[in-house]
Amino acid sequence: MAKITLGAFVLAISFAAVLTVEPDMRIVGGREVDITKYPFLVSLRYRTTPDSSYIHKCAGAIYSDRVVITAAQCLMDIGPDEKLMVVAGANSRLGLDGMLYPVSKWISHASFSTWTVDYDIGLVIIDDKFDFKHLKLSPISIAESRPLHGKLTSVAGWGYREEFGPSSPHLEEVEVPIVNNEQCTQHHGQGEITERMICAGYASGGKDSCFGDTGGPLVYKGELVGLVSWGRGCARPNFPSVYTYVASLKKWIDDTIAANM
């Protein structure tokens, strides 16, 4: 099976194919949760024309008062007429709750590959500053080390409930155990998992992040461990999802922020 990535999903749907990671997804096997539990989680919404509505494409995590960390695939090939908005503090994927923050700049890692999905990380910089005081938003810090194999992490988003949809209108969360890179390689194949990736999921399947959760945070003990990146379907047995391992790219994050703010 092929990897599932953002752009591939649109093509797959066009040909009634199966796998691709598009940013209109939701949690599989999870439960509804209030955004106050994830005060750093945001929805990235796009508008393709001046007259169109903003629609949810990806998720991201607030890193500082003006910076959101997300997946590089969420920021690729944005057209000249396309506008990007960050929505913070929202429970609904389609509603008007939450605060809208216009985006001034977005940067994806120069080494990101849509083929390998390696270096799948990007930054979104908003025009103003997040209102941490009144909206109960807060940034999330980056975990310095990998959680051990089997440790439970959490991921939240507005993605698909099942591999082929539908999307969830409300925020949901699910807990998934870390799978070490050696075992993850056994599932996905030699050379597929790099040091910039971390895996999580159940051998039996049934619970997972999915299409539309892309770019959203994988959290362990209140710290950012990973970003929803790619997989082979959603919640399939023996195919743990693959996340960008954020700590491995922290220097790039900090250097990029310093160069662009």
Side-chain angles (χ1 to χ4, degrees):
M1 287 182 246
K3 291 181 181 177
I4 301 180
T5 58
L6 195 64
F9 184 73
V10 177
L11 185 61
I13 291 297
S14 299
F15 290 93
V18 182
L19 299 176
T20 343
V21 177
E22 192 242 20
D24 196 13
M25 334 173 215
R26 150 183 177 174
I27 297 295
V28 177
R31 56 184 176 271
E32 191 170 325
V33 66
D34 192 271
I35 189 65
T36 54
K37 187 174 179 180
Y38 296 91
F40 44 81
L41 179 64
V42 300
S43 168
L44 301 184
R45 302 185 187 181
Y46 298 69
R47 185 174 69 180
T48 55
T49 68
D51 298 325
S52 63
S53 300
Y54 283 94
I55 59 173
H56 170 80
K57 290 285 189 177
C58 283
I62 298 173
Y63 182 59
S64 71
D65 59 2
R66 289 187 60 206
V67 178
V68 169
I69 302 176
T70 188
Q73 59 182 285
C74 296
L75 307 175
M76 301 298 292
D77 303 323
I78 298 177
D81 295 326
E82 198 161 0
K83 304 297 182 182
L84 180 59
M85 188 81 69
V86 169
V87 181
N91 280 303
S92 172
R93 181 175 60 88
L94 300 173
L96 299 176
D97 61 325
M99 179 64 71
L100 277 63
Y101 292 92
V103 172
S104 62
K105 186 181 297 186
W106 53 88
I107 308 106
S108 56
H109 199 293
S111 296
F112 171 67
S113 166
T114 56
W115 180 254
T116 65
V117 205
D118 202 1
Y119 295 93
D120 191 10
I121 194 166
L123 300 179
V124 172
I125 301 174
I126 62 173
D127 286 336
D128 202 351
K129 293 183 178 181
F130 290 111
D131 188 347
F132 293 145
K133 183 177 181 180
H134 297 102
L135 295 179
K136 297 183 179 179
L137 308 177
S138 66
I140 187 171
S141 60
I142 298 171
E144 295 182 357
S145 60
R146 293 175 182 264
L148 296 176
H149 179 83
K151 292 294 184 180
L152 278 182
T153 60
S154 63
V155 60
W158 298 268
Y160 282 9
R161 296 178 179 178
E162 300 175 9
E163 186 169 315
F164 297 103
S167 297
S168 171
H170 304 290
L171 180 65
E172 293 202 348
E173 67 173 354
V174 70
E175 291 184 331
V176 284
I178 291 293
V179 177
N180 65 40
N181 278 19
E182 181 180 358
Q183 289 196 20
C184 196
T185 295
Q186 292 176 7
H187 293 301
H188 286 287
Q190 195 65 39
E192 297 288 343
I193 308 301
T194 73
E195 288 303 308
R196 291 159 296 279
M197 300 176 187
I198 188 168
C199 304
Y202 289 94
S204 58
K207 294 184 177 183
D208 199 3
S209 54
C210 195
F211 308 120
D213 295 319
T214 305
L218 181 73
V219 180
Y220 179 67
K221 292 186 175 181
E223 294 186 311
L224 180 62
V225 173
L227 303 169
V228 178
S229 181
W230 65 273
R232 302 184 189 276
C234 301
R236 296 184 183 185
N238 298 313
F239 282 113
S241 281
V242 184
Y243 299 77
T244 306
Y245 179 45
V246 181
S248 67
L249 295 163
K250 187 175 185 303
K251 185 178 186 304
W252 177 85
I253 293 171
D254 293 340
D255 288 351
T256 302
I257 290 173
N260 287 274
M261 292 183 66

